Amino acid sequence: MGAGGKFVVVAGLIAAGAGAYAERAVWLPQALALLPAQFGGHGQGPNAEVLRDRSVPVVAAPVTRADVPVYVTGVGTAKPLNSVTVRAQVSGKLTEIDFREGQDLKKGDPIARLDDALYKAQRDQALAKKAQDQAVLVNAELELQRDERLVHSGAMTDQLLGNQRALVEQNRAQVAADAAAVEAAEAQLSYTVITAPIDGRTGLRAVDVGNIVSSGDASGIVTLSQIRPIAVVFSVPQQDLARVNAARNAAPLGVEALSGEGQVVAEGELTVVDNQVDPTTGTVRLKAEFPNDTLALWPGAFVDTRLLVETQRNVLTVPSAAVQHGPAGAYAYVVSDGAKVHLRPLTIGFQDDKRAVVAGGVEEGESVVTSGFSRLQDGASVKVSSPEEADPAKLAVPMTEGGSKGGKHHKSKHGAKPAAAPARPGGSEPAAPQTSERSAPATDGGEEAKPADTTPAGPGTVENQPAENRRAAAEGREQTPSTQSDPSIVSAVEAPDADHASQGRAPAATSGASPTRSADLKESAPGSQAANAP
């Protein structure tokens, strides 16, 4: 084609394009109506209404009035109200254990006994020394009485009388010292029986019978802890200290101990507020006492606590999930009567993990969005749903015009698209073609081989195979495997390509029996070749 011819073609194309552009008002709406929505069209398929629905599924809750308790929370540790490490006060061999591990003891109950033979001997020795000194004292007192009579008769001087009186006083002091020694010996003897100093529960025993114990043992014999009642020491921020002191001055302040799931497990009373704030953490320590009758609290365990410092009466409340935060502060999406949301700034008075007290921004009876914020904006249309309906993972949004999931066309090796098989009854997707057996080569002269029997063609025969497999059968090549397995699905038959028709070759037929196993495939192919050999 010369330059003039090319110019004419280009000019014609330009003229055709200009005419189409001028008539776009006629054909463009019709074309858009035929396109699916994801390609910019209007989507005229069965799911067009779903695709055109731009409402955002949300979950909403009403604004209500209620009495809201205000708590100050803290994390602390449970501790025994009293704890004693029981040690021996004297040295000796441990001869007896009078308690069980984990036993509740009362004050004065025996815990252990030591060998007391040595301490009994020391007591007896002190008693004997006291008796000896008492005898000396009695003799000195008799001598003093005789000296006093002699002084009156002039046979005794006053000096000798004074010496005797001093001797009597000295013997009296010695007897008093002996009495003290006896008491010390008896005390040492009493220490060989170890008793519980407080009411409490015993822990694990540190020593066994037969060991030598003394007052210097670090571990002692056992630890006795008072857990009924029990104490909890916890910390609160220094910002809450003023409210805590104000509430405590008004009335005894109750404390609740919470479990890991947020349930109240014990109730007690605040007993002590520490006299200073920890400057390293900015918190102040508090101590509460709990009866602990059910043993819900255990020494050493971490405990979540809260103190009821105030109750706000008849205030507007919204769920905490409805309160959103932005650069301008807190806000919420309010659902109007027209199923639209409007962004409103909020004034929050108090907020915890469940509810927020609103001082302004919403009115009682209005609904606020609590879930579904990802696609939400001011003025958007919404559809108030249950939490399950608003779950993005469960939204059924079709991906194509007809709602099909596949959408892909598999091409054969030569680029030809196999015809789509008819759908099953009930709307299920069509299955892929079934794997076929190897076809026998065509006979000389281009004539089609005759089938070995007259059984009707099944899904695995050549008549129902794609064009690629029929061309492979005509050329004597390996057929392309397919995946059809359901006999109820019949594949569309395509005509042979033009190049095969021009060469005078036609697809060869195989045995009419439908192969079902790999062994049948291996046996049927050689048989067909032998039957069709020249």
Side-chain angles (χ1 to χ4, degrees):
M1 181 182 297
K6 294 181 179 179
F7 177 78
V8 172
V9 172
V10 172
L13 292 176
I14 293 175
Y21 181 76
E23 299 294 332
R24 66 185 183 278
V26 177
W27 58 267
L28 184 57
Q30 300 177 0
L32 290 177
L34 298 176
L35 287 176
Q38 66 267 29
F39 295 108
H42 301 303
Q44 297 298 322
N47 296 319
E49 293 298 329
V50 177
L51 294 173
R52 286 195 294 267
D53 188 4
R54 300 298 182 182
S55 298
V56 180
V58 297
V59 179
V63 180
T64 59
R65 287 190 178 273
D67 295 339
V68 179
V70 179
Y71 293 99
V72 173
T73 60
V75 178
T77 306
K79 294 184 177 181
L81 193 63
N82 296 289
S83 182
V84 178
T85 300
V86 180
R87 297 185 177 91
Q89 292 180 273
V90 294
S91 299
K93 183 175 71 174
L94 189 63
T95 59
E96 186 178 332
I97 296 293
D98 296 327
F99 70 92
R100 299 187 310 274
E101 294 176 321
Q103 179 182 357
D104 290 324
L105 298 179
K106 296 294 184 180
K107 183 178 179 179
D109 289 346
I111 291 179
R113 298 178 185 273
L114 304 180
D115 185 6
D116 59 355
L118 176 62
Y119 299 101
K120 285 182 178 179
Q122 292 176 352
R123 182 199 60 181
D124 294 342
Q125 184 179 3
L127 290 174
K129 183 67 169 58
K130 179 182 178 181
Q132 180 184 359
D133 292 338
Q134 282 179 340
V136 173
L137 175 62
V138 170
N139 183 47
E141 289 176 347
L142 292 176
E143 288 291 336
L144 178 61
Q145 292 175 3
R146 285 193 297 267
D147 291 344
E148 288 177 347
R149 289 194 300 267
L150 292 175
V151 168
H152 291 296
S153 62
M156 177 67 67
T157 63
D158 292 337
Q159 182 180 1
L160 293 176
L161 180 62
N163 291 339
Q164 188 61 35
R165 287 175 177 173
L167 181 60
V168 170
E169 295 297 329
Q170 181 180 355
N171 290 332
R172 287 176 180 173
Q174 185 62 45
V175 171
D178 292 340
V182 171
E183 292 179 359
E186 289 179 348
Q188 293 286 324
L189 179 61
S190 68
Y191 292 156
T192 59
V193 179
I194 303 172
T195 58
I198 60 172
D199 295 346
R201 173 168 292 195
T202 60
L204 300 178
R205 187 174 67 246
V207 294
D208 298 325
V209 173
N211 287 279
I212 303 298
V213 296
S214 65
S215 59
D217 295 339
S219 59
I221 298 175
V222 70
T223 299
L224 191 62
S225 299
Q226 185 177 3
I227 59 177
R228 293 177 178 171
I230 196 171
V232 174
V233 178
F234 59 99
S235 299
V236 298
Q238 62 181 5
Q239 293 83 358
D240 297 329
L241 183 58
R243 289 195 296 176
V244 172
N245 287 331
R248 188 184 180 201
N249 293 334
L253 191 57
V255 182
E256 295 178 345
L258 308 178
S259 65
E261 294 77 19
Q263 302 296 326
V264 178
V265 296
E267 295 182 354
E269 183 178 342
L270 184 67
T271 57
V272 179
V273 177
D274 200 1
N275 58 1
Q276 62 181 355
V277 175
D278 187 351
T280 59
T281 60
T283 59
V284 60
R285 298 203 309 167
L286 284 71
K287 184 177 181 180
E289 185 175 322
F290 295 82
N292 201 31
D293 295 332
T294 60
L295 297 179
L297 303 178
W298 206 254
F302 289 102
V303 180
D304 294 328
T305 59
R306 66 182 184 184
L307 296 82
L308 180 61
V309 296
E310 182 185 359
T311 300
Q312 298 184 5
R313 304 290 182 181
N314 196 28
V315 292
L316 287 175
T317 63
V318 297
S320 294
V323 180
Q324 304 295 305
H325 296 276
Y331 65 92
Y333 287 104
V334 180
V335 182
S336 64
D337 295 337
K340 292 183 178 294
V341 293
H342 301 284
L343 188 149
R344 290 191 194 174
L346 299 179
T347 302
I348 303 298
F350 167 76
Q351 182 176 358
D352 57 15
D353 56 346
K354 294 182 179 179
R355 289 183 294 183
V357 176
V358 181
V362 292
E363 299 294 336
E364 182 180 3
E366 292 183 324
S367 296
V368 291
V369 177
T370 60
S371 179
F373 299 99
S374 59
R375 295 186 295 159
L376 210 58
Q377 60 183 353
D378 190 17
S381 298
V382 295
K383 176 183 178 183
V384 179
S385 311
S386 64
E388 292 77 11
E389 294 174 343
D391 188 358
K394 299 179 181 179
L395 293 178
V397 179
M399 301 302 294
T400 62
E401 178 182 0
S404 62
K405 299 180 181 178
K408 291 186 178 180
H409 297 284
H410 298 281
K411 295 183 179 181
S412 63
K413 184 185 299 184
H414 295 281
K417 296 181 180 179
R424 293 186 186 182
S428 60
E429 297 184 53
Q434 184 181 0
T435 304
S436 62
E437 63 173 327
R438 297 182 58 181
S439 301
T443 57
D444 294 343
E447 297 179 359
E448 184 176 353
K450 296 181 180 181
D453 54 29
T454 59
T455 305
T461 59
V462 173
E463 287 78 5
N464 289 331
Q465 296 301 318
E468 175 62 21
N469 288 353
R470 294 202 303 274
R471 290 197 298 271
E475 297 173 359
R477 294 184 287 106
E478 180 78 13
Q479 295 187 17
T480 303
S482 58
T483 58
Q484 182 175 354
S485 59
D486 195 339
S488 64
I489 300 177
V490 181
S491 302
V493 179
E494 296 183 358
D497 291 348
D499 55 347
H500 286 204
S502 62
Q503 297 177 8
R505 291 182 297 181
T510 59
S511 174
S514 179
T516 58
R517 295 179 303 176
S518 59
D520 297 336
L521 298 177
K522 295 180 180 179
E523 294 176 0
S524 60
S528 302
Q529 294 177 2
N532 296 328

